[in-house]
């Protein structure tokens, strides 16, 4: 698993800031002001870089721990795993705690603009348990971060917590993305509840050329959905939010996390979406991430995909027949029927993606989404086993 942060020695001249890491190969094409960049000297031959270049007003100079330290310059020495920062990444310096954190990874498939720790739901399997803190300051930080992200970044998610709790702040973030990253697919992960009965949804109409929303739905009736999100009235609010987004001409994905009670009614949920939300563009059926609240509610939420193959196949067939796109996330290939393999996506973010020892000899490992790095035997399907060479993936 790739590290999110590392201990570091940070020059006393540096304050908290976000910096774009720029290697020697990338430096000639860099377009940011020196003050927004950290020159990466790790691995550079001694004496290659002259004093004139080092004296430029860099936001920071990343160097190896064994390199001579010049206290007159804004050095940053990463003491832990060096992979926390590479050329093209964006790092956050925390001089007070003497730590460096990764905020954007070039080439990663799971870069997220983290909007807030707050949420108005309390989902039984939440992987990011909410905290009721005042963190509207994140809007300004996100604006700074967006300016440092590669202009050709294919996709970004905006997540939390619940991003719509930022209100107009979320609109500001999306507008900045439209200005700086117009070619980047922006996907807002929201429960949709605050779009009910407000005008916030209308602020997103035409705001970004490649914007979509991921909204969870965990049941075909209020009792099931409200139980999963642990909030009375959430089902009705989410539905009204979905219709509000459709009225604002937004692209919508429905996300269904496959907790046990939802898995048990998956065909009924698929039929409900087909009949009542025909404007939905895509549905993601998602295996549980075994972290956060899910660990405390194991007995209530864990469902082995091997026990629900019929429900999964029926739901996929229903979406296919109605022209709604469908994908399977976080479900290893060996745990689902081979007819469903074409729908299985490599969805787990690179930094938290891993494989089990049983995967070593699997012939389809390169096509499989693998496992969350923190998976344990209790969260592992009994169907996990290496696939033999002659068992190929069928055409979709």
């Amino acid at each position: 698993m790739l590290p999110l942060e590392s201990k570091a020695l940070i020059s006393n001249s540096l304050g908290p800031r976000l910096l774009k890491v720029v290697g020697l190969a990338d430096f000639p094409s860099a377009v940011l002001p020196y003050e927004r960049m950290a020159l990466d000297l790790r691995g550079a031959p001694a004496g290659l870089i002259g004093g004139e270049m080092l004296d430029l007003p860099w936001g920071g100079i990343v160097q190896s721990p064994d390199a001579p330290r010049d206290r007159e310059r804004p050095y940053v020495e990463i003491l832990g795993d060096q992979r926390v920062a590479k050329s093209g990444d964006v790092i956050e310096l925390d001089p007070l705690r003497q730590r460096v954190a990764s905020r954007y990874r070039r080439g990663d498939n799971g870069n997220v603009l983290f909007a807030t720790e707050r949420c108005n739901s309390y989902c039984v399997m939440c992987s990011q348990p909410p905290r009721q803190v005042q963190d509207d300051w994140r809007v300004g930080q996100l604006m700074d971060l967006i300016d440092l992200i590669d202009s050709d970044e294919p996709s970004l998610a905006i997540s939390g917590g619940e991003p719509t709790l930022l209100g107009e702040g979320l609109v500001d973030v999306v507008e900045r993305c439209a200005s700086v990253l117009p070619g980047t697919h922006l996907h807002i992960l929201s429960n949709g509840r605050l779009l009910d009965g407000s005008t916030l949804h209308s602020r997103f109409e035409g705001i970004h050329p490649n914007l979509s929303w991921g909204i969870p739905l965990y049941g075909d009736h209020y009792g099931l959905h409200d139980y999963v999100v642990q909030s009375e009235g959430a089902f009705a609010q989410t539905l009204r939010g979905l219709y509000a987004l459709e009225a604002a001409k937004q692209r919508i994905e429905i996300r269904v996390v496959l907790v046990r009670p939802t898995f048990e009614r998956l065909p009924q949920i698929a039929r409900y979406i087909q009949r009542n939300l025909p404007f939905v563009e895509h549905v993601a059926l998602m295996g549980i991430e075994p972290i956060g609240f899910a660990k405390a509610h194991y007995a209530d939420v864990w469902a082995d995909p091997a026990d629900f193959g019929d429900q999964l196949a029926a739901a996929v067939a229903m979406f296919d027949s109605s022209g709604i796109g469908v994908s399977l996330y976080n479900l290893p290939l060996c745990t689902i029927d081979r007819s469903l393999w074409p729908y299985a996506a490599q969805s787990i973010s690179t930094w938290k993606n891993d494989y089990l020892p049983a995967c070593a000899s699997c012939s389809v490992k390169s096509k499989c989404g693998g496992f969350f790095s923190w998976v344990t035997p209790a969260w592992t399907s009994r169907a996990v086993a290496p696939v033999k060479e002659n068992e190929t993936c069928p055409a979709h």
Side-chain angles (χ1 to χ4, degrees):
M1 184 172 70
L2 293 175
L4 280 177
E5 63 175 37
S6 171
K7 291 182 179 180
L9 289 177
I10 300 174
S11 168
N12 292 333
S13 64
L14 291 174
R17 65 186 66 188
L18 292 168
L19 295 173
K20 180 80 164 182
V21 180
V22 179
L24 295 178
D26 288 335
F27 168 64
S29 59
V31 295
L32 293 167
Y34 293 113
E35 293 83 356
R36 304 297 308 274
M37 297 190 290
L39 179 64
D40 189 359
L41 298 183
R42 292 171 297 174
L48 177 66
I49 308 300
E52 289 185 1
M53 186 171 183
L54 293 179
D55 287 336
L56 293 172
W58 298 104
I61 297 175
V62 183
Q63 60 186 48
S64 302
D66 56 354
R69 191 182 310 155
D70 184 344
R71 296 186 180 277
E72 299 301 316
R73 294 193 171 102
Y75 63 84
V76 178
E77 296 179 12
I78 298 172
L79 302 180
D81 195 323
Q82 297 296 307
R83 296 177 301 166
V84 75
K86 65 182 188 304
S87 185
D89 293 355
V90 179
I91 56 174
E92 182 178 7
L93 304 186
D94 184 348
L96 182 63
R97 297 171 59 229
Q98 290 287 293
R99 300 193 77 84
V100 168
S102 174
R103 294 295 177 245
Y104 166 79
R105 282 194 171 102
R106 175 179 285 176
D108 195 282
N109 68 340
N111 280 304
V112 173
L113 303 178
F114 189 77
T116 179
E117 293 189 64
R118 294 171 289 152
C119 192
N120 55 340
S121 293
Y122 217 65
C123 300
V124 294
M125 71 300 182
C126 181
S127 60
Q128 181 76 42
R131 296 176 61 228
Q132 299 309 316
V133 295
Q134 181 52 255
D135 57 358
D136 286 348
W137 56 266
R138 291 183 183 275
V139 173
Q141 185 185 63
L142 290 178
M143 299 288 219
D144 289 342
L145 175 57
I146 290 164
D147 291 343
L148 301 178
I149 291 174
D150 292 342
S151 60
D152 60 352
E153 171 61 37
S155 64
L156 289 170
I158 299 180
S159 186
E162 173 49 46
T164 58
L165 285 168
L166 295 181
E168 284 295 318
L170 179 59
V171 177
D172 293 340
V173 169
V174 175
E175 286 181 332
R176 178 64 66 90
C177 287
S179 173
V180 178
L181 304 168
T184 300
H185 175 211
L186 199 61
H187 195 52
I188 301 177
L189 303 178
S190 166
N191 59 38
R193 293 174 58 193
L194 294 180
L195 301 171
D196 159 43
S198 72
T199 59
L200 183 60
H201 68 279
S202 64
R203 299 283 284 113
F204 296 97
E205 183 171 351
I207 194 174
H208 190 287
N210 199 2
L211 172 65
S212 65
W213 296 72
I215 309 290
L217 192 67
Y218 301 124
D220 56 314
H221 60 87
Y222 76 92
L224 177 51
H225 181 88
D226 288 2
Y227 161 73
V228 173
V229 304
Q230 294 289 287
S231 184
E232 186 177 352
F235 182 72
Q237 291 173 336
T238 293
L239 285 179
R240 287 195 288 265
L242 285 165
Y243 286 114
L245 287 174
E246 199 277 334
K249 301 180 177 62
Q250 299 295 288
R251 297 168 55 198
I252 303 169
E253 172 189 77
I254 295 291
R255 296 189 149 211
V256 184
V257 177
L258 300 172
V259 294
R260 173 174 287 276
T262 293
F263 229 151
E264 291 172 346
R265 289 192 62 83
L266 193 55
Q268 291 91 335
I269 295 171
R271 186 176 299 111
Y272 185 90
I273 293 171
Q274 180 189 47
R275 292 178 175 177
N276 297 282
L277 304 167
F279 49 82
V280 166
E281 171 177 299
H282 184 259
V283 174
L285 306 177
M286 310 173 67
I288 303 171
E289 185 172 358
I291 197 170
F293 287 157
K295 294 172 67 176
H297 301 123
Y298 171 82
D300 297 320
V301 302
W302 166 244
D304 190 332
D307 294 329
F308 294 93
D310 290 344
Q311 289 91 331
L312 196 59
V316 168
M318 200 169 303
F319 290 127
D320 253 356
S321 67
S322 60
I324 297 176
V326 58
S327 297
L328 308 180
Y329 293 170
N330 315 338
L331 295 175
L333 295 179
C334 59
T335 68
I336 59 177
D337 189 84
R338 286 170 179 78
S339 65
L340 299 178
W341 285 6
Y343 302 92
Q346 293 181 305
S347 56
I348 299 176
S349 301
T350 306
W351 66 271
K352 54 184 177 180
N353 185 214
D354 217 334
Y355 294 87
L356 302 181
C359 305
S361 61
C362 182
S363 63
V364 295
K365 179 179 176 182
S366 63
K367 302 174 184 176
C368 180
F371 301 83
F372 289 103
S373 296
W374 31 80
V375 73
T376 64
W379 295 92
T380 303
S381 170
R382 68 176 187 279
V384 170
V387 177
K388 299 176 182 178
E389 281 189 38
N390 60 347
E391 297 173 325
T392 57
C393 182
H396 183 15

